[in-house]
Amino acid sequence: MSGAIKPAQRAPGAARGQGARGLPDERLDRLAAEHLNMKHILQQLSSMAYNFSSLPAEQATKELSSLLEQFDNELLPHEHDDEEQLYPSLVDYLKGDDPLGALSHTHRELFRMIGLLRHMNQQLATQPSNVDLKEIQILLIRLDTLLALHFSLEEELYQTLDLR
Ligand SMILES: [Fe+2]
């Protein structure tokens, strides 16, 4: 499944990392706004990672479905767009052979973990007695750590491309 993502490639013949080049202001503002608009998802994920297994089963099921819905409607389209549209357009601003390789790896991990969470959510709906809420909580903790790291690495990167 993770093989579907190709590394962001520099166009043939394009210069690599041409020093002090910045992204246009309006693009930087849009990137910042997109992350800001998704902070509520990070907050919800963090709070569920903290107490998920102590929630009553019915509430746990409801909250997990609501989180996945927000992933589907907001987070996943954003992250796919980062990987498929944004990253290839950033490569020429950066030095190194594969400057976005590590960040692309975090995208793949995010997609994998969310797929796993979706599977667990389906099990919770159909065979709740076979599901251990603690196991889901461990996955939520890992996802929370990864997503917070991913956002902060991207924000750090965009700052280096902000010459204002
Ligand atoms: Fe991203």
Side-chain angles (χ1 to χ4, degrees), residues 79 82 87 107 150 154:
E79 297 304 347
D82 275 359
Y87 282 15
H107 279 151
H150 179 76
E154 281 187 343

Side-chain angles (χ1 to χ4, degrees), residues 35 75 78-83 86-87 103 106-107 110-111 147 150-151 154 158:
H35 272 197
L75 182 74
H78 167 84
E79 297 304 347
H80 279 290
D81 191 64
D82 275 359
E83 184 62 36
L86 176 67
Y87 282 15
L103 272 167
T106 60
H107 279 151
L110 286 174
F111 300 149
L147 191 57
H150 179 76
F151 267 49
E154 281 187 343
Y158 303 153

Side-chain angles (χ1 to χ4, degrees), residues 69-96:
E69 205 176 302
Q70 291 180 76
F71 286 165
D72 285 341
N73 293 338
E74 298 175 63
L75 182 74
L76 286 172
H78 167 84
E79 297 304 347
H80 279 290
D81 191 64
D82 275 359
E83 184 62 36
E84 287 144 33
Q85 309 293 328
L86 176 67
Y87 282 15
S89 76
L90 293 185
V91 171
D92 291 337
Y93 290 83
L94 303 166
K95 293 182 178 173

Side-chain angles (χ1 to χ4, degrees), residues 1-7 83 104-105 107-109 111-112:
M1 77 172 86
S2 59
I5 296 175
K6 291 190 192 136
E83 184 62 36
S104 283
H105 180 75
H107 279 151
R108 289 195 292 277
E109 264 307 283
F111 300 149
R112 190 187 69 80

